[in-house]
């Protein structure tokens, strides 16, 4: 099975996660991203190259090259937990589609072992990249950050037309369960009309019945210092629980979608 020798670049593997897909999961974080979101909690994921980041005063190498077989050795350690919980493998990043061949072969290897698969992605690359992974993907966790292309570009570095077009194509393909996720970022997309507009869009996608609102947090802020970078949103505070509940009601009042906070 040649695909087990496909090489890719990762920066972390997180076991025993209860986020980013159903059940207990192992999350593999791939290097490289096409966006530069101002709030990104994994800035070490953005560059494909291997980097050095200062962590608690000590240099740490971020990024290593591995084969699919090597990653699967770690993934398979928790197979019994996947079976009991309905969990499995989730690919994250960065943007997994920046390494589409590696992502495809990781998902393929998991499916060959009867393991549930998920991928966290904003689908910001040509649809040909998306098509490569769909046959091996049970759940596509797709970020939709904003409906306004200008504001999207201001805060992420790129416009959103390709991502919205790909969301429609993924939904219409019927090949995977598509779940829409919205990182709720104060000053960017936390107004009721902005969340409403995303809900309207998601509600029209064939087969889509779930949307997750993910409240902004500052857990990755120290990483910017470690990389010698400036965090661009130092004065932005996470939204209050009551405010997130209000946005959840906005979604429910404007769509048929099942809405949850977090995910």
């Amino acid at each position: 099975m040649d695909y087990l020798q496909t090489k890719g670049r990762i920066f972390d593997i997180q076991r025993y996660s209860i986020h980013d897909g159903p059940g207990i999961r192992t999350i593999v974080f791939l290097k490289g991203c096409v966006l530069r979101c101002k709030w990104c909690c994994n800035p070490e994921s953005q560059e494909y190259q291997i980097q050095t980041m200062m962590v608690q005063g000590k240099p740490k190498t971020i990024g290593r090259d591995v084969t699919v077989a090597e990653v699967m050795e770690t993934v398979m350690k928790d197979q019994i937990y996947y079976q009991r919980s309905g969990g499995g493998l989730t690919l994250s990043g960065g943007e997994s589609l920046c390494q589409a061949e590696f992502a495809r072969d990781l998902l393929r290897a998991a499916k060959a072992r009867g393991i549930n698969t998920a991928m966290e992605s904003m689908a910001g690359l040509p649809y040909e990249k998306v098509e490569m992974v769909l046959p091996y993907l049970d759940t596509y966790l797709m970020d939709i950050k904003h409906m306004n292309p200008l504001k999207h570009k201001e805060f992420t570095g790129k416009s959103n037309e390709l991502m919205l077009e790909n969301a429609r194509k993924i939904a219409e393909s019927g090949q995977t369960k598509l779940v829409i996720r919205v990182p709720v970022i104060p000053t960017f997309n936390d107004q009721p009309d902005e969340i409403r507009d995303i809900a309207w869009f998601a509600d029209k996608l064939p087969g889509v019945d779930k949307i997750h609102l993910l409240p902004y947090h500052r857990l990755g802020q120290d990483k910017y210092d470690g990389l010698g970078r400036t965090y661009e949103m130092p004065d932005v505070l996470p939204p209050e629980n009551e405010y997130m509940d209000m946005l959840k009601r906005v979604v429910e009042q404007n769509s048929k979608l099942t809405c949850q906070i977090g995910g």
Side-chain angles (χ1 to χ4, degrees), residues 223-244:
K223 296 178 180 179
Y224 287 81
D225 292 334
L227 291 167
R229 294 175 53 184
T230 299
Y231 187 68
E232 295 188 45
M233 305 182 73
D235 300 322
V236 175
L237 298 176
E240 300 285 346
N241 292 339
E242 294 80 5
Y243 194 82
M244 292 300 301

Side-chain angles (χ1 to χ4, degrees), residues 45-108:
S45 74
Q46 295 178 350
E47 301 291 343
Y48 175 74
Q49 68 259 28
I50 294 173
Q51 298 169 283
T52 299
M53 181 170 72
M54 297 300 293
V55 179
Q56 295 179 336
K58 297 180 180 179
K60 179 181 179 181
T61 299
I62 305 295
R64 58 189 174 101
D65 294 330
V66 293
T67 65
V68 168
E70 288 170 335
V71 173
M72 290 306 298
E73 285 183 18
T74 299
V75 172
M76 292 300 294
K77 290 178 181 178
D78 298 316
Q79 189 170 18
I80 188 170
Y81 297 110
Y82 311 147
Q83 292 170 345
R84 290 176 177 175
S85 69
L89 168 69
T90 298
L91 303 186
S92 187
E95 168 54 66
S96 301
L97 293 176
C98 289
Q99 300 185 57
E101 293 83 1
F102 182 54
R104 174 199 64 201
D105 290 349
L106 279 172
L107 297 169
R108 181 181 178 185

Side-chain angles (χ1 to χ4, degrees), residues 13-263:
I13 298 180
Q14 179 182 322
R15 296 166 65 190
Y16 312 120
S17 175
I18 56 171
H19 303 289
D20 302 315
I24 297 171
R25 311 195 68 83
T26 296
I27 306 177
V28 179
F29 293 87
L30 279 63
K31 269 283 219 171
C33 191
V34 295
L35 298 186
R36 294 295 181 267
C37 301
K38 292 185 177 184
W39 65 88
C40 180
C41 61
N42 287 331
E44 74 274 36
S45 74
Q46 295 178 350
E47 301 291 343
Y48 175 74
Q49 68 259 28
I50 294 173
Q51 298 169 283
T52 299
M53 181 170 72
M54 297 300 293
V55 179
Q56 295 179 336
K58 297 180 180 179
K60 179 181 179 181
T61 299
I62 305 295
R64 58 189 174 101
D65 294 330
V66 293
T67 65
V68 168
E70 288 170 335
V71 173
M72 290 306 298
E73 285 183 18
T74 299
V75 172
M76 292 300 294
K77 290 178 181 178
D78 298 316
Q79 189 170 18
I80 188 170
Y81 297 110
Y82 311 147
Q83 292 170 345
R84 290 176 177 175
S85 69
L89 168 69
T90 298
L91 303 186
S92 187
E95 168 54 66
S96 301
L97 293 176
C98 289
Q99 300 185 57
E101 293 83 1
F102 182 54
R104 174 199 64 201
D105 290 349
L106 279 172
L107 297 169
R108 181 181 178 185
K111 293 303 293 180
R113 290 158 177 77
I115 296 174
N116 178 276
T117 59
M119 184 175 74
E120 182 186 12
S121 161
M122 76 311 183
L125 286 97
Y127 191 67
E128 291 74 24
K129 301 286 187 183
V130 178
E131 284 184 306
M132 292 173 63
V133 303
L134 289 181
Y136 310 105
L137 191 58
D138 292 312
T139 304
Y140 200 127
L141 302 165
M142 183 176 174
D143 273 15
I144 293 183
K145 307 177 197 300
H146 211 289
M147 295 305 296
N148 183 310
L150 295 178
K151 197 164 187 183
H152 194 281
K153 185 173 183 178
E154 178 188 354
F155 278 78
T156 73
K158 281 188 177 291
S159 189
N160 62 355
E161 289 95 344
L162 177 61
M163 301 160 206
L164 299 179
E165 178 187 343
N166 283 344
R168 294 188 188 96
K169 289 179 178 178
I170 293 165
E172 290 168 358
S173 79
Q175 287 184 271
T176 185
K177 176 68 175 176
L178 180 60
V179 177
I180 301 304
R181 310 211 305 177
V182 186
V184 178
I185 314 298
T187 73
F188 171 54
N189 68 352
D190 69 330
Q191 295 305 299
D193 62 323
E194 294 171 313
I195 297 298
R196 178 204 64 200
D197 289 351
I198 296 174
W200 279 348
F201 174 82
D203 201 29
K204 294 186 179 78
L205 297 174
V208 171
D209 57 12
K210 292 181 181 178
I211 188 168
H212 298 171
L213 302 181
L214 312 180
Y216 165 76
H217 61 75
R218 295 168 134 185
L219 298 180
Q221 189 169 347
D222 291 344
K223 296 178 180 179
Y224 287 81
D225 292 334
L227 291 167
R229 294 175 53 184
T230 299
Y231 187 68
E232 295 188 45
M233 305 182 73
D235 300 322
V236 175
L237 298 176
E240 300 285 346
N241 292 339
E242 294 80 5
Y243 194 82
M244 292 300 301
D245 289 336
M246 181 272 292
L247 294 179
K248 180 174 182 287
R249 290 193 296 273
V250 168
V251 171
E252 293 168 342
Q253 291 164 4
N254 287 277
S255 72
K256 302 181 296 294
L257 301 169
T258 298
C259 182
Q260 73 180 54
I261 297 171

